[in-house]
Amino acid sequence: MHGDTEAGKLYVVATPIGNLRDLSARALDVLRSVSAILAEDTRHSAKLLRSWDIATPLVSHHQHSGARAVDRALRQLNAGKSLALISDAGTPLLHDPGAPLVRAAVQAGIRVVPIPGPSALLAALVGSGFPADTFHFAGFLPSRQGQRLHLLQQLSPLSCALVFYEAPHRLAKTLADLQAVDPDRPAVIARELTKLHETFYRGRPDELLTQLREDPNMARGEMVLIWAPREPGDLSHAPARIETDELLRALVREVSPSAAARIAAKIIRGSARGELYERALKLGAQVKSEGPNPAD
Ligand code: SAM
């Protein structure tokens, strides 16, 4: 209770990731009954509401909405109005806006009610064929190659499946990075889930790169990348395998030789930072004389 009025509820509602029929009966009830729907992009969500004859007002609430939008929503909730938070697709907060509002609502003692439903991450995982009891979701990989390789190196010792959201224009580079880090570890690309062209591509990184060359559609649309769990007993994970020069060459394209040596020393166990620095200087000079990387 807040004053004399009972506070409203904040519903966090999952919406379709492609197929508009993936809206649960409960999600429909909630979207029809709340005072307003807070949406990442009101024009985008208007299509979903139209297709389900939902007349509830839409209010814009995105990652740049800021503290004033959160305060406004809290005032409405405290005044007894219930609100639903949705994003453009899937489950809000999963690489979508909403975390500050939900945090503020929790802190204000407002009841937060999740309405579960689609998420690209779980749909991809359960269709991947890999064990799904434990997994590590790492969101989007960094766009800079040095940082991407560094993160993949850090994550590769984990024995569970690794799940990433991936941007189509980066797919080839990411697959090449997976190959550099652990060429034998299979991966799955889950593309256009729940849509007309839903496709799962499966194989080792080199096989996926071959498929990509043969089928340019593979790099179109939305996709999730899943890297297989390591085989039980496989101790030959990436840090022991990566070629020092390959790693340093990638790093010196992005960062100074001393930063490259520092990062590489963390990745390659037992390596001497001084030697790595000398090598990074040499490779840095080579890379400079070769000009821009054709993969960039
Ligand atoms: N909150 C969403 C969810 O629960 O899935 C994810 C939002 S995030 C901004 C968008 C990313 O999710 C896309 O770049 C893609 O990696 C993945 N994604 C969303 N819809 C997808 C789909 N239908 N098929 C494959 N991946 C999808």
Side-chain angles (χ1 to χ4, degrees), residues 13-24 31 44 48 52 87-91 117-119 193-194:
V13 183
T15 57
I17 55 169
N19 189 323
L20 293 184
R21 297 194 60 74
D22 284 336
L23 189 69
S24 74
L31 293 178
H44 177 95
L48 176 72
W52 283 102
S87 61
D88 284 355
T91 301
S119 86
L193 291 161
T194 78

Side-chain angles (χ1 to χ4, degrees), residues 17 89 91 94-96 119-120 140 165-166 193 222-224:
I17 55 169
T91 301
L94 286 185
H95 270 278
D96 271 342
S119 86
F140 286 96
Y165 284 158
E166 184 54 308
L193 291 161
E222 296 188 287
M223 60 192 67
V224 179

Side-chain angles (χ1 to χ4, degrees), residues 68-81 83 110:
R68 293 226 329 246
V70 170
D71 288 346
R72 201 165 42 238
L74 283 186
R75 272 199 305 278
Q76 289 181 306
L77 289 160
N78 279 324
K81 295 190 167 149
L83 301 174
I110 304 282

Side-chain angles (χ1 to χ4, degrees), residues 121-137 159-163 226-229:
L121 133 74
L122 290 181
L125 183 66
V126 299
S128 69
F130 300 139
D133 285 338
T134 61
F135 63 91
H136 181 89
F137 175 53
S159 55
C160 59
L162 306 173
V163 187
I226 305 186
W227 213 13

Side-chain angles (χ1 to χ4, degrees), residues 14-266:
T15 57
I17 55 169
N19 189 323
L20 293 184
R21 297 194 60 74
D22 284 336
L23 189 69
S24 74
R26 187 165 169 236
L28 263 178
D29 289 346
V30 165
L31 293 178
R32 289 199 169 117
S33 66
V34 289
S35 301
I37 299 171
L38 309 182
E40 182 181 6
D41 176 343
T42 51
R43 278 217 308 224
H44 177 95
S45 295
K47 285 185 212 144
L48 176 72
L49 299 202
R50 259 198 311 276
S51 81
W52 283 102
D53 276 332
I54 300 169
T56 311
L58 275 167
V59 178
S60 167
H61 190 97
H62 48 75
Q63 58 178 353
H64 304 296
S65 292
R68 293 226 329 246
V70 170
D71 288 346
R72 201 165 42 238
L74 283 186
R75 272 199 305 278
Q76 289 181 306
L77 289 160
N78 279 324
K81 295 190 167 149
S82 288
L83 301 174
L85 172 72
I86 63 173
S87 61
D88 284 355
T91 301
L93 279 79
L94 286 185
H95 270 278
D96 271 342
L101 173 61
V102 173
R103 193 173 49 239
V106 169
Q107 280 166 359
I110 304 282
R111 192 151 156 227
V112 175
V113 184
I115 307 293
S119 86
L121 133 74
L122 290 181
L125 183 66
V126 299
S128 69
F130 300 139
D133 285 338
T134 61
F135 63 91
H136 181 89
F137 175 53
F140 286 96
L141 281 163
S143 55
R144 294 178 77 94
Q145 194 198 17
Q147 293 171 357
R148 202 163 56 233
L149 268 175
H150 181 53
L151 181 67
L152 289 171
Q153 285 290 348
Q154 279 188 322
L155 295 177
S156 75
L158 292 178
S159 55
C160 59
L162 306 173
V163 187
F164 307 94
Y165 284 158
E166 184 54 308
H169 67 274
R170 250 192 347 240
L171 179 61
K173 289 182 196 171
T174 300
L175 289 175
D177 290 344
L178 295 189
Q179 192 176 9
V181 173
D182 195 346
D184 296 326
R185 190 166 176 172
V188 166
I189 311 289
R191 186 177 81 88
E192 294 289 86
L193 291 161
T194 78
K195 303 184 204 175
L196 185 62
H197 297 293
E198 175 178 287
T199 319
F200 282 83
Y201 301 86
R202 305 165 202 276
R204 288 191 319 262
D206 63 319
E207 293 167 333
L208 289 167
L209 278 165
T210 305
Q211 288 186 65
L212 178 59
R213 277 191 288 276
E214 287 165 2
D215 174 10
N217 282 332
M218 188 173 160
R220 296 213 173 104
E222 296 188 287
M223 60 192 67
V224 179
L225 165 67
I226 305 186
W227 213 13
R230 255 186 314 116
E231 292 290 323
D234 173 12
L235 298 178
S236 58
H237 59 268
R241 284 162 163 249
I242 192 153
E243 291 289 338
T244 306
D245 276 10
E246 202 176 342
L247 175 65
L248 284 173
R249 283 178 74 84
L251 287 170
V252 290
R253 285 186 188 281
E254 310 282 349
V255 295
S256 69
S258 67
R262 199 168 55 243
I263 297 170
K266 286 188 189 149

